[in-house]
Every structure is written in structure tokens, then in C-alpha cells.
Amino acid sequence: MSVTMPAAIADTPERIPGAAFRAAAALHLQRSPSLSREALARELRERLAGRGIRYHLRTLKRQLSGSVATVPPEVERALREVIADAGGEDAVTAIEQALAEAGLSGASAATTPTYIACERMLPLAQLWLYLHPERSKRALAFRLREELEQIGIRLNVDSLQSILAGKQRLVRREIQDALFSLLCHDGVTSPADAEARIESMSREIRGAQEGRAFENARRIHELAKAWKIERKEPSSRRLAILLKQRLAERGIVIGLPHVQKLVDGRARRVRRSMSSAIESILRADTATSASQDLETKAPPPAGAELDLAWVKAAPIAELARKYVVTHPGMTMRKLAIQISREVEALGYTTSPNTIQPILGGHKKRTRGFIYRALLHLDGAPATRVPNEHVFGAAARDERAAEPPPSSDPPADSEVRPRSGLAPKAPRPDSALQRPRSESSLSASAQSPFGAYRAAIQRYQVLDREAELELAWRYRREGDHAAGNALVESHLQFVVKVASQYRGYGMQLADLVEEGNLGLLEAVRRFEPSRNLRFKTYAIYWIRAYIVDHLLREWSIVGGGTGALVSRTFFRLRRERAKLEMQLGEGDASIDALLATRFQTTEDSIRSMSQRVGARDASLDAQSHADGGPTLLETLRDPSSDPEHLTASAERDAFVRGVVGRVWKALDPRERLIVEERLLSEDDEVSLADLGRRLGVSRERVRQLEARTKSKLRSAFEAVVRGGDEAAEAPHRMEREPEIAALCA
């Protein structure tokens, strides 16, 4: 058959349209009336098994019926062999001729591969990136999206970037065609020309790919910090601008925010080529590092990092105010000028116009060298900036570098070299982080959950290859040890995911427990053939179990579960807040808009709003924070109201007095009905029970009860109309409900 793929790519995971395959199978079934579709599927499965390809019978049946639009080339080749064995080459020729007449042969769209192996497309992407060294895979993904949108195919940039990174096995053929169209702008005339260029420039392309690999950005941060200390340059912005200009001279285009993240230490990874370029620039500008490595050169002088760190401005303003008060004739302006001179003596540069707002208390933070310059006024000895006034990690680094107070100083005067491990960059907007007390540390270590978190620290995170190996061993061989290893390597990840839901008032230990159940379910269902990281798949099951636990435990009164309830529960507050900002709080149309947005009813929105906005409260909880009675003790008991008790006693006396007047006129059966049915304080006796006691039917008891109520009603009416009407008038309205209930 003409739809057979070349033997060179027969073993690839490509997919071709299944129209020709299904048409050929239908013609073969017509020529063989005794052959069924299931029998043909079984024969195809045996052919594929002989080649070492395991194929499910149900999948083959779906491909033959058209439920699956595409088929692998190997399945089409197996069908050709089946047709040839059954009818010889004449049968194959006849079917090929019929397919050609139907337009399903040759180079038609029906035989063009729909999906191709990702490995076939990656060299083209690597060639484009080599020809455009200033561009990234992200930029290529944007270009591909534009090309695909022109032919009506819409794909996400993240999906395209994942394909360019080789994280998928199959990709659409149109993506390869879009890559060819981009390479045409660079002089690539044909696929053969592209293959020739890739083969001739394989070494250069491989070197370019190695330069695009990512590495830790810690070294860049350390070099930048050493550069700023040596140059006494506190601003990371100025260094980032300098690096951006120097990189542009070398043909490397990078955004200024990204360079500043690298300099500040806020970026975790950097490309190898970028790291080498920045490192060479910083080393060339640093005189002391031209011949010495970063780890072996002398450390900066004590307090140099604190000079460049961000410190609180409030203590500086307080010191300045006291200084002006104690020195007659001194003003804030004069003090700012004097401090600027001290700053210049320390080797830094700043303006009195910059210092004066700091002294006046109009700034929240400033640099450490301004603080130190204020402490050096009047020829005072060198004073260290207090650690409690320093923001971020700089103070922690300085404290860590100091020897403990109880230890003796080293014998020699040399300062011990600092570790090459860089701390996190100081964040100016972060609050001062004080060390935890020993009592809190010991308490957390003694808690069961603290012990659990300490125990899971020994499990290391696995790489992709180790994950897939363990997953295949568990999937194919049922190796429970491999499954346990896969679970243990992701226990810390479960804690991280569970921490995202701590704001809902649940114990973190309970959330982690539910997340671990989701992790076990993910291990049981994970399919390594998808070539995904296990973490990417497991996070959905972990979140599903945690969310289900939150919905179940949010209230004692169950509110149901499901996708709609989950979506409404976790998004309702945010969406309601947005609408209240637009329409105003209390707008009547908010519930209707929320119901439309969540595809539910307004009653469901109101019910969920009440559920989200209020939590269950324990009646045993104290009514006040400083103690006092519980909520249960503050509840009002209606039966203890004296007014209510007096009114009830008067009504009972009135009713029993009227009943006593007509008691002698009632026969024994009617008296029993009054006692057991009408005046009973406990649960009344049923009509059937009274019927068995009186020896009559249930219907007869009902008739006797109706006659008794009629006599009682007449007696009450006579009392109301009688001589006691004036005396009973004030209480008539109170007694009428009791009379109506008794005689109903």
C-alpha cells in the first residue's frame, strides 16, 4: 500500500491519519466475509507482538472503527502484511488501486503524518537558536505561535516551549513546517539543506547548546557583592546598567531587570554563557580578583557588607534629633552637610539633599554607611551598626562570621575565609528576622509534626531518570520498594503544597496527611510512558485530596463536594470582592452575576457565601478572650423566664378548671382520651394503641376523640360567654391559642 512509511522511520512514535488504514481494512473485510473486525484486530496484535510491540486489542478495534483518528505507521505495515498473506500481492495491488481512486494514496493529506517524533524536530530548533544566539527558546516559541496562528492553529507559548525543551514525545507536523518557514528567512532552502547544515555545524551547535544550559547563579551574586564592596558602590542598579552595556558590546542582549536580579541574588539560575560573560566582566573590573580566585582572596574588612546593607532610618532620625538638641546652633541642614563629609571620608559618595530627608524621619530605610557616618561625628571611634537595625540577611551573615562570645579569639590575627556558599540577597522591604528562642525550637522539635518534618529531610529529591526507572519498576514488576522510594522522595513536596492551604484554619499536620494519601494515589495511577515528571502529575492528586478534606471538615454541617462546590468555595470570596469594588458593597445584582459566572443558582451562591464567611463555633469556647463564661452558659433559657412561667401556670389552671367542670359529663373512654391524648405532657399515645386498650378500632377511637373535643369546645365557649366574661376578658387573647390547640 502506498501509505507505508519508509523503513528508516518505521520505529518512530509518529502518527499518520487513519483514513487510508481504515479504508484498506474495510476493503479487506469485504473480500473476506468470514473475517470479523475483532479477528482482524487480534491478527494485527499478533503481528505487532512478533516485532516486540505490545499493543492493546481494544485500541486496535477503536482504530479500525474510526474512534481514534490517527494510527502509528507500524500498525499500517502490519495490515499490509495481513492482506498480503491472505490474498497475495494481487490483493495488495487491488486495494492500493481502490485507495488511489478514492484519493487516499500518494502524497495526499490523508497520508501525511499528523504527529512526528519530537527528536526529529529538535535539531531544527537548535539550528535556529544557533543562527540567533541573542534569542531564547521563549522567543522562538513566540515566533512559532505567530506562524501557527496564520494557518489557524492556536497553541500556548508554554506548550511550545515545553516541546522545544524536548519534554514531549510527539508533536504536530505543522510545528516542524513552521520551523522550516522560520529557517527560510535565514537562507535555508529545503529540508535537505537544513540537514546538511546541521551535520556540518554539529560541533558548533552542540557548543551553543552547552552555553545555553543553566547553572546556579550564586557565583554571580558573590562576585557582584565583592565588586560593590571594593568599589564602595551600594547601588545594584548602577552595576546592572554597567553589565548590560558591557554585555551588549559582546553581542548579548538581556533585559535590565533580569541583570539586576542576578546582581541582587534573586535569580536562582543563569545561562552558562551569560555567567561566563558576567564573570569575566566583573573580574576584569576588580583589581584584586585578576590574579586570585573568589574563594582564596582576602575577605572584605569587617562591617563592609553592613555599610552597603539597608538599615532602618528611624534610629538615624532619633539620633539626629538628639544631636541637634545637644549642640546649640546646629540645624538639620548643617548636620546633613557634616554627615556627607563623613560619608566621603569613609569612601562613599552621597549628597546632603539625600541625607536631610533621612535625618528628618521622612524615609523608612537607608544605607549602613550613612548610619555609621552619623555615629562617627565629633571624632568618635569606629562604631559598628547595630544588627537589630539592619534589614534582611546582611546582619545574619555578620553575626555568623563573628565568633561566639564565650569562645577565645584565634591565636593569629588573620580572619578566617568565608564560605563560598552565598546567602540570599538582602530584601529591603523585609522585616527584621529575629532568631527563634531555644524554647520555641525545642518545642517544635518535640512536637510529632516537627519530628516528622525532621525525619523526611533525609530523603533526597530524584532526577528524571531515577524517577522513570522507579516508576517503570513499580508499574511493570509490581516492585513495592520502588514505589516506596518514589513516595519518600516527594514527602517534602507534599508539605510544601499543604502549606499553601494553611490560611483556611486547618492543622498543617492534617493537610499533610491528606496530601500523602493523594501522593499514594498518584503513584498507583502514574504512567511513565507519558514521559512527564512525577511531580507534575502528583500535584493534582495531592491538591485534590487536600481540597476534599477542607470541604468536608470546614463545617459539621456537610455542604457537599464535587468540582462545582470546590470551584465556588475557593474562588467565591475573591470574585465577590472584585464585584463589590466595581458595583459597590451590598449591590443586589452581585449574587446574580456570581451565579452566572459560576454557572449555578443564586440560592447556591448565597448558601456558599454563608458557608465560606462563617466557621463553626464551639459552645464550650469562652465568650471573652480574657476568660469568663462559655458561650453555652450565656444562652438564654426561655423556661427560666418568671413572666413566661407565670403565664403558663395561669393558662394551665384555666384549661384544667374548664375540663374539671365537664369531667363528670364524660364517659370513661372519653376521660381516657383526654388524659392520654389531650392533656398528656409526654408524647401522646397513638390512636391504634388506644384502640387496642379499649377493644375498638382505630377509626372508632378517632370518632370518640372528635366527640370529646366538641364537648370541650362547648364548655370553653360557655365559660367565655358566661358570667366570668368580664373577669376573663384580659386573659382571653392569651387563652385562645391553648383552647384552639386543645380542641383542634
Side-chain angles (χ1 to χ4, degrees):
M1 289 163 41
S2 59
V3 293
T4 304
M5 300 298 295
I9 59 173
D11 296 331
T12 65
E14 290 184 355
R15 309 279 294 192
I16 61 175
F21 169 78
R22 289 190 294 273
L27 292 174
H28 179 62
L29 291 175
Q30 289 179 1
R31 291 173 175 270
S32 305
S34 60
L35 185 65
S36 64
R37 183 183 297 170
E38 183 171 358
L40 177 58
R42 292 183 182 277
E43 190 171 356
L44 288 174
R45 185 181 63 173
E46 294 175 0
R47 295 269 182 180
L48 294 171
R51 299 180 183 178
I53 302 175
R54 298 177 59 184
Y55 224 90
H56 203 283
L57 179 63
R58 182 177 58 187
T59 304
L60 289 169
K61 292 169 63 176
R62 294 180 65 197
Q63 290 172 348
L64 290 171
S65 64
S67 299
V68 179
T70 59
V71 297
E74 290 82 357
V75 177
E76 191 274 336
R77 292 180 59 192
L79 178 61
R80 175 190 175 93
E81 294 177 0
V82 169
I83 295 174
D85 292 345
E89 291 297 329
D90 294 338
V92 175
T93 304
I95 291 179
E96 286 182 349
Q97 184 177 1
L99 292 176
E101 295 176 356
L104 298 177
S105 62
S108 63
T111 60
T112 305
T114 304
Y115 293 91
I116 63 173
C118 186
E119 291 81 2
R120 295 184 59 184
M121 188 208 65
L122 288 180
L124 299 176
Q126 295 171 1
L127 176 61
W128 190 91
L129 292 173
Y130 172 74
L131 296 176
H132 300 81
E134 74 282 359
R135 298 296 181 181
S136 63
K137 290 179 182 176
R138 187 78 175 176
L140 178 56
F142 275 101
R143 295 287 301 276
L144 287 176
R145 186 184 67 172
E146 294 174 359
E147 293 288 334
L148 293 172
E149 285 180 350
Q150 294 178 3
I151 59 177
I153 298 177
R154 296 184 178 273
L155 288 179
N156 194 348
V157 175
D158 294 335
S159 301
L160 290 171
Q161 191 171 0
S162 176
I163 292 171
L164 295 175
K167 296 182 180 180
Q168 297 189 19
R169 294 183 63 228
L170 298 177
V171 297
R172 297 187 62 160
R173 174 183 48 80
E174 291 82 1
I175 299 177
Q176 185 185 46
D177 297 340
L179 264 175
F180 273 126
S181 64
L182 292 178
L183 289 172
C184 289
H185 300 294
D186 300 317
V188 179
T189 58
S190 64
D193 185 18
E195 293 179 4
R197 291 197 182 194
I198 292 172
E199 185 176 357
S200 61
M201 296 186 297
S202 59
R203 182 175 300 178
E204 292 83 355
I205 294 175
R206 191 180 306 111
Q209 290 300 314
E210 292 177 357
R212 289 179 176 272
F214 285 95
E215 62 180 21
N216 200 308
R218 184 185 301 121
R219 189 174 183 82
I220 299 297
H221 173 50
E222 286 286 351
L223 284 170
K225 184 167 59 176
W227 187 93
K228 290 193 294 183
I229 291 174
E230 181 172 337
R231 295 296 185 90
K232 293 192 174 182
E233 174 57 64
S235 174
S236 299
R237 185 76 172 181
R238 296 194 187 99
L239 176 57
I241 293 174
L242 175 63
L243 288 175
K244 184 177 184 299
Q245 294 173 353
R246 297 286 184 86
L247 291 173
E249 294 173 358
R250 300 188 178 197
I252 302 176
V253 180
I254 184 174
L256 184 61
H258 185 62
V259 180
Q260 192 165 357
K261 284 184 179 180
L262 291 172
V263 171
D264 289 339
R266 291 181 286 119
R268 295 182 302 172
R269 302 190 306 165
V270 62
R271 294 191 185 277
R272 188 171 300 167
S273 59
M274 185 77 64
S275 176
S276 301
I278 295 177
E279 184 174 349
S280 62
I281 294 172
L282 292 175
R283 289 189 180 279
D285 287 350
T286 307
T288 58
S289 61
S291 59
Q292 292 178 320
D293 196 7
L294 179 64
E295 287 81 2
T296 60
K297 77 173 187 176
E305 291 188 21
L306 289 182
D307 283 348
L308 302 181
W310 290 101
V311 299
K312 295 180 179 179
I316 299 178
E318 182 64 22
L319 289 175
R321 186 185 62 80
K322 293 180 180 179
Y323 189 88
V324 171
V325 171
T326 56
H327 291 74
M330 179 64 67
T331 63
M332 285 294 180
R333 182 62 181 178
K334 293 180 180 180
L335 181 59
I337 295 174
Q338 191 172 351
I339 291 177
S340 66
R341 295 171 182 171
E342 291 289 339
V343 167
E344 186 176 355
L346 294 176
Y348 301 94
T349 303
T350 187
S351 170
N353 296 332
T354 304
I355 298 176
Q356 190 167 354
I358 300 171
L359 302 180
H362 303 293
K363 298 291 183 181
K364 293 183 179 180
R365 59 179 185 172
T366 184
R367 296 291 183 177
F369 60 82
I370 297 179
Y371 200 152
R372 193 153 68 97
L374 179 60
L375 298 176
H376 288 180
L377 290 178
D378 294 338
T383 308
R384 184 186 176 87
V385 178
N387 288 330
E388 60 270 15
H389 295 166
V390 182
F391 285 103
R396 294 196 300 270
D397 296 342
E398 293 290 337
R399 286 195 296 266
E402 294 179 352
S406 60
S407 62
D408 297 331
D412 53 354
S413 59
E414 296 182 0
V415 183
R416 296 179 183 177
R418 296 186 58 189
S419 171
L421 183 63
K424 291 184 179 179
R427 297 185 60 183
D429 56 344
S430 63
L432 181 63
Q433 300 182 6
R434 294 185 173 89
R436 296 172 61 186
S437 62
E438 296 181 0
S439 60
S440 61
L441 289 174
S442 60
S444 63
Q446 294 175 359
S447 65
F449 185 67
Y452 168 78
R453 296 193 67 172
I456 64 177
Q457 294 294 328
R458 66 176 185 268
Y459 299 119
Q460 300 295 327
V461 180
L462 303 177
D463 55 10
R464 178 188 291 268
E465 291 73 15
E467 281 184 2
L468 290 178
E469 181 183 357
L470 293 174
W472 279 119
R473 283 168 51 190
Y474 178 77
R475 189 76 173 179
R476 292 175 174 174
E477 306 171 9
D479 188 355
H480 292 284
N484 292 337
L486 198 60
V487 170
E488 291 169 351
S489 64
H490 289 80
L491 291 177
Q492 299 182 41
F493 178 67
V494 173
V495 177
K496 178 181 178 181
V497 176
S499 301
Q500 301 173 1
Y501 296 88
R502 298 184 66 175
Y504 292 93
M506 300 291 180
Q507 293 290 334
L508 182 58
D510 297 338
L511 299 178
V512 171
E513 182 179 356
E514 293 294 329
N516 287 339
L517 295 177
L519 179 62
L520 295 174
E521 186 70 18
V523 171
R524 188 178 68 85
R525 293 174 176 265
F526 181 59
E527 297 182 3
S529 59
R530 296 180 179 270
N531 199 25
L532 294 174
R533 290 302 298 265
F534 176 70
K535 182 186 298 184
T536 304
Y537 177 79
I539 190 172
Y540 292 98
W541 283 104
I542 295 172
R543 286 176 174 170
Y545 272 71
I546 293 176
V547 167
D548 183 69
H549 174 73
L550 287 173
L551 293 176
R552 284 187 285 104
E553 300 298 330
W554 182 260
S555 175
I556 297 177
V557 181
T561 57
L564 179 60
V565 175
S566 175
R567 183 173 67 250
T568 308
F569 181 83
F570 289 99
R571 290 179 49 201
L572 183 59
R573 264 190 302 199
R574 181 171 65 252
E575 298 296 335
R576 181 179 288 277
K578 291 180 181 178
L579 291 176
E580 287 179 350
M581 291 179 61
Q582 298 174 1
L583 305 176
E585 188 174 357
D587 192 284
S589 62
I590 291 180
D591 289 340
L593 292 175
L594 288 173
T596 304
R597 186 167 299 181
F598 288 101
Q599 299 179 359
T600 182
T601 61
E602 295 186 31
D603 293 337
S604 299
I605 292 296
R606 296 189 188 96
S607 175
M608 186 60 68
S609 298
Q610 295 176 358
R611 184 182 177 193
V612 173
R615 294 294 307 275
D616 296 339
S618 175
L619 292 177
D620 295 329
Q622 294 180 343
S623 57
H624 302 285
D626 54 351
T630 63
L631 295 178
L632 181 62
E633 295 172 348
T634 60
L635 293 179
R636 179 176 177 271
D637 185 8
S639 61
S640 61
D641 188 2
E643 183 179 355
H644 175 76
L645 294 176
T646 303
S648 299
E650 290 182 358
R651 286 193 296 268
D652 293 343
F654 171 74
V655 171
R656 293 187 179 276
V658 175
V659 172
R661 294 184 182 183
V662 297
W663 186 257
K664 296 181 180 180
L666 301 177
D667 59 25
R669 292 185 299 181
E670 293 173 342
R671 294 176 183 175
L672 182 61
I673 291 174
V674 171
E675 292 177 350
E676 299 292 342
R677 293 276 297 175
L678 303 182
L679 298 180
S680 176
E681 295 181 357
D682 300 330
D683 295 338
E684 60 183 22
V685 182
S686 64
L687 296 176
D689 292 338
L690 282 179
R692 285 190 292 269
R693 292 172 61 179
L694 297 176
V696 295
S697 65
R698 179 180 181 278
E699 176 62 22
R700 180 54 182 164
V701 175
R702 188 192 65 77
Q703 295 174 358
L704 292 174
E705 183 179 14
R707 187 176 66 183
T708 305
K709 290 179 179 180
S710 178
K711 292 181 180 180
L712 293 175
R713 185 180 298 107
S714 301
F716 280 114
E717 292 175 354
V719 170
V720 172
R721 291 192 303 268
D724 298 336
E725 183 175 1
E728 300 297 337
H731 306 287
R732 186 187 307 166
M733 298 302 298
E734 298 179 1
R735 295 170 180 172
E736 285 181 356
E738 298 290 339
I739 297 172
L742 185 65
C743 303

